[in-house]
Amino acid sequence: MLACTMPRAHAADIVEITRAYIESNEEGYKLAASYSFDLNHDLDDAVQHGVPLYFTTEIELTRPRWYWFDEKAIVARQTSRLYYNVLTRQYHVSVGGSVQQSFPTLDDALFLIRRPSRWLVAPRGALKVGQTYNVTLRMGMDRDYLPKPIQVNAFNNSDWRLASNKKTFLYTAE
C-alpha cells in the first residue's frame, strides 16, 4: 500500500513506443509507429509561453555480418515541431518540414506527434529482398533545436528530458 502512495519518479520523462513495424509498398519501406507520452509541467509551461518543442524519431536498419561490423543499410531521422501561437491561441505542428497543421488544443496537437502518418524511411531497392535486418527505433524531444538560452537550462535540468528507450525488432525485406 505504501508503494501506491509514493509519487512515480520521472513517469513523464519516458516516451513509450507502443507500436512499430516496417511496411513495404511500391514506393519503398515505411515506418508505422505510435508513441505514448505526456508533457510534464515545465514542458507544458514552455509551450504555453511560445517556446517550440521538437520531437525527433530515429530509425536504423542494420544487417548482421559474422566477419565484420554490422552493415548499416538505412539511417533516417524525422523531426516534428510543436509550438503555440499566443496571439491566435492555436497549436501548430509540422512534421519533417511539411506544411504545418493547426489545432485548438494541446491534446489534439500531441495526437499528431504520438501517432504520425507512415513515414518513407527508404526507397524501394535500398534493402536486399529476403535478408533479415535489425531495426532500432528511438523517439524523444530534441533539445538541440531549442533557443540557446533555454538550451543551457534544458541540458542541466532533468525536467527537460523526454525520450524513449531503444526499441529493437527484426524485419525481413520484401
Side-chain angles (χ1 to χ4, degrees):
M1 182 155 159
L2 182 60
C4 294
T5 61
M6 298 293 290
R8 294 188 323 172
H10 305 290
D13 299 344
I14 299 295
V15 174
E16 181 184 348
I17 301 172
T18 56
R19 177 184 65 129
Y21 59 92
I22 304 288
E23 291 180 344
S24 175
N25 63 18
E26 60 275 350
E27 292 178 60
Y29 302 96
K30 292 186 175 188
L31 171 68
S34 62
Y35 313 101
S36 175
F37 67 91
D38 291 314
L39 298 181
N40 62 31
H41 175 72
D42 286 354
L43 295 177
D44 185 72
D45 193 45
V47 169
Q48 299 304 325
H49 286 92
V51 175
L53 298 181
Y54 295 84
F55 297 89
T56 299
T57 301
E58 297 174 345
I59 185 169
E60 184 177 281
L61 278 82
T62 58
R63 188 170 59 92
R65 295 187 288 196
W66 65 270
Y67 59 89
W68 198 246
F69 297 110
D70 292 348
E71 172 192 3
K72 288 188 180 182
I74 298 171
V75 177
R77 294 170 54 111
Q78 183 180 51
T79 302
S80 304
R81 176 178 173 225
L82 165 70
Y83 76 97
Y84 178 68
N85 187 323
V86 180
L87 295 175
T88 62
R89 296 185 179 146
Q90 292 280 313
Y91 294 89
H92 302 281
V93 176
S94 63
V95 179
S98 66
V99 176
Q100 71 181 12
Q101 295 180 340
S102 300
F103 300 94
T105 67
L106 179 60
D107 284 335
D108 292 343
L110 284 174
F111 183 82
L112 183 62
I113 294 172
R114 290 178 185 135
R115 289 176 183 33
S117 60
R118 286 167 173 73
W119 161 41
L120 184 67
V121 295
R124 180 60 102 186
L127 301 177
K128 296 178 184 174
V129 176
Q131 294 288 319
T132 300
Y133 292 86
N134 293 321
V135 181
T136 304
L137 180 64
R138 261 190 312 230
M139 193 273 202
M141 192 183 82
D142 199 338
R143 296 174 290 177
D144 293 336
Y145 288 106
L146 292 171
K148 293 296 179 194
I150 296 174
Q151 263 186 17
V152 174
N153 183 39
F155 280 106
N156 294 323
N157 187 344
S158 64
D159 289 338
W160 285 80
R161 289 188 185 101
L162 183 63
S164 71
N165 294 322
K166 287 183 183 180
K167 180 175 181 87
T168 58
F169 58 95
L170 296 177
Y171 174 70
T172 302
E174 300 172 3

